[in-house]
Amino acid sequence: MKEKLTSLLSTALEKIKGVQRIEELEQYKVKFLGKKGELTGILRGMGSLAPEERPIIGQIANEVKEQIQRAIEEKTAILEEKLIEDKLQRETIDISLPGLKREVGALHPLTIVRREIEQIFMSMGYEIVEGPEIETDYYNFEALNLPPNHPARDMQDTFYITDNILLRTHTSPVQARTMEKRADAIPLKIISPGRVFRKDDDATHSPMFHQVEGLVIDKNITLGDLKGTLLLFAKEMFGEKQKVRLRPSYFPFTEPSAEVDISCFLCEGKGCSLCSQTGWIEILGAGMVHPNVLRAGGYNPDEVQGFAFGMGVERITMLKYGISDIRELFNGDLRVVKQFARG
Ligand SMILES: [Zn+2]
């Protein structure tokens, strides 16, 4: 019996040593040590032993059992460690490989400039008001002193949806709507940024473009207030050295009206190709609000005055960033926008 036990031990240790998978160890445990296993099988013969031999064989059997158990445990630990190592090996990350580059988004230059304009006027206490892009003839023309058949309507090449409904040609209808809504409340200090539409399409005109219009109504408002406001705007937008110049002009909704020039920021007034050698660059139209417009808005022109101005966001953007063709702003070329990406 002793020999049987010794041979069982050496067979078992040999088998366990050669095991490659943890599952096999489980099978060997059952085979050698289980209730119907080989060790139990041998010990069944204990009954035929002399009584004095039994404790000796019992002790040997225990040692065999312990050794097999220990061998299985050790092998299990080795195989588990190997499993983890294999897994780590498979999942190794090569930190020296270049990562995937994440594209950085950028605001469109028109958005940057529009926000800048808004910021400048908000710092002067203006409120931002928006209105519909699809307008009625009344708010787009009539309330702004352009009655039906007024010759100035020829100036506006309008997209009509019906005889009475159109795509707004300027953001001035927002002014008309706001005056009407606020009744005769003063002071009124608003800017209205937004998209406008005209049938124009060339290097400096787009059928869809952006305007920011401003309106101030209060008592004792003069042309000097308008000029001072625009000078401050020009300095903030184009630099401290800016000067402004008002040239007489005509708009149906203002009287008197003016084209507003700023001194050329490229040549500082000396004359260059950007300013056509004049030293001045036209940036917007403005004027004192026409009494008829005030009346249509519910104000009494004998008691209050106002000034209004309107500028094209595209024009300011093109000047500021030296863009010569307006279509570059709309053709969706990411290279244009990417120049404005931060870091
Ligand atoms: Zn110049």
Side-chain angles (χ1 to χ4, degrees):
M1 248 183 114
K2 197 179 160 187
E3 275 132 40
K4 277 186 184 171
L5 286 170
T6 320
S7 115
L8 170 68
L9 178 62
S10 59
T11 316
L13 292 182
E14 193 64 33
K15 294 272 186 196
I16 291 165
K17 204 177 165 191
V19 163
Q20 294 298 329
R21 293 163 53 238
I22 285 183
E23 300 81 58
E24 287 176 50
L25 282 176
E26 201 54 45
Q27 288 163 14
Y28 281 129
K29 199 173 174 182
V30 175
K31 178 177 158 66
F32 297 126
L33 306 176
K35 272 182 191 164
K36 292 175 183 169
E38 291 182 19
L39 184 65
T40 319
I42 296 169
L43 293 179
R44 255 187 220 121
M46 286 272 267
S48 62
L49 291 174
E52 64 272 20
E53 273 185 318
R54 286 181 198 168
I56 300 166
I57 293 298
Q59 202 185 345
I60 295 174
N62 270 338
E63 273 167 21
V64 167
K65 192 179 174 187
E66 270 171 30
Q67 280 196 51
I68 294 176
Q69 264 172 347
R70 206 178 308 127
I72 289 176
E73 275 164 24
E74 280 169 9
K75 189 72 184 179
T76 305
I78 290 168
L79 288 180
E80 273 173 354
E81 197 170 318
K82 193 166 174 287
L83 267 184
I84 292 169
E85 256 172 32
D86 285 352
K87 201 174 175 210
L88 284 176
Q89 207 64 44
R90 272 200 312 277
E91 294 177 359
T92 294
I93 295 167
D94 184 351
I95 55 167
S96 67
L97 277 175
L100 293 174
K101 197 178 172 199
R102 197 171 282 226
E103 295 279 342
V104 179
L107 289 175
H108 193 279
L110 287 176
T111 306
I112 296 173
V113 170
R114 195 203 70 223
R115 287 187 181 177
E116 218 173 318
I117 296 170
E118 290 173 353
Q119 206 54 50
I120 293 169
F121 283 103
M122 280 196 290
S123 74
M124 290 192 254
Y126 284 70
E127 179 191 341
I128 296 175
V129 184
E130 291 180 324
E133 290 174 356
I134 297 172
E135 262 299 355
T136 60
D137 181 275
Y138 175 77
Y139 286 112
N140 196 74
F141 293 127
E142 211 173 323
L144 299 164
N145 203 33
L146 285 103
N149 307 318
H150 191 289
R153 282 196 179 190
D154 292 340
M155 286 161 52
Q156 318 260 14
D157 285 339
T158 309
F159 290 106
Y160 279 94
I161 294 169
T162 69
D163 282 350
N164 195 37
I165 297 172
L166 46 86
L167 297 181
R168 66 180 179 188
T169 59
H170 45 187
T171 51
S172 309
V174 182
Q175 301 180 9
R177 285 173 174 276
T178 310
M179 280 191 274
E180 195 181 73
K181 207 184 290 173
R182 306 280 167 95
D184 53 359
I186 50 168
L188 185 67
K189 255 176 117 177
I190 59 163
I191 55 165
S192 44
R195 285 196 290 188
V196 300
F197 308 86
R198 290 184 204 176
K199 287 182 184 169
D200 271 333
D201 199 3
D202 58 40
T204 52
H205 297 88
S206 159
M208 186 280 294
F209 59 104
H210 299 78
Q211 277 192 337
V212 177
E213 301 211 357
L215 172 71
V216 172
I217 299 175
D218 203 352
K219 288 185 172 164
N220 304 317
I221 294 288
T222 69
L223 205 57
D225 295 315
L226 170 62
K227 192 171 179 183
T229 302
L230 296 177
L231 179 62
L232 187 61
F233 166 73
K235 283 177 186 285
E236 291 284 328
M237 186 54 101
F238 293 104
E240 219 13 69
K241 289 180 179 167
Q242 279 306 312
K243 296 186 192 108
V244 261
R245 171 174 92 166
L246 271 59
R247 281 181 291 113
S249 182
Y250 170 74
F251 302 111
F253 21 84
T254 46
E255 182 59 38
S257 302
E259 299 281 0
V260 180
D261 299 337
I262 56 167
S263 47
C264 179
F265 45 83
L266 205 62
C267 62
E268 295 183 352
K270 291 185 198 79
C272 68
S273 62
L274 180 68
C275 57
S276 309
Q277 310 303 328
T278 63
W280 295 94
I281 296 170
E282 186 188 320
I283 57 159
L284 56 89
M288 300 304 288
V289 181
H290 195 288
N292 287 349
V293 176
L294 286 172
R295 253 180 236 115
Y299 289 90
N300 181 351
D302 295 327
E303 289 176 4
V304 296
Q305 302 77 40
F307 65 73
F309 56 85
M311 65 187 87
V313 181
E314 281 77 3
R315 169 120 181 103
I316 308 253
T317 306
M318 289 164 76
L319 284 171
K320 209 173 151 100
Y321 296 119
I323 298 167
S324 57
D325 191 326
I326 196 170
R327 288 166 291 206
E328 281 180 30
L329 294 171
F330 298 119
N331 68 7
D333 189 339
L334 283 178
R335 286 172 303 179
V336 174
V337 180
K338 274 183 178 165
Q339 294 173 39
F340 296 89
R342 294 190 198 114

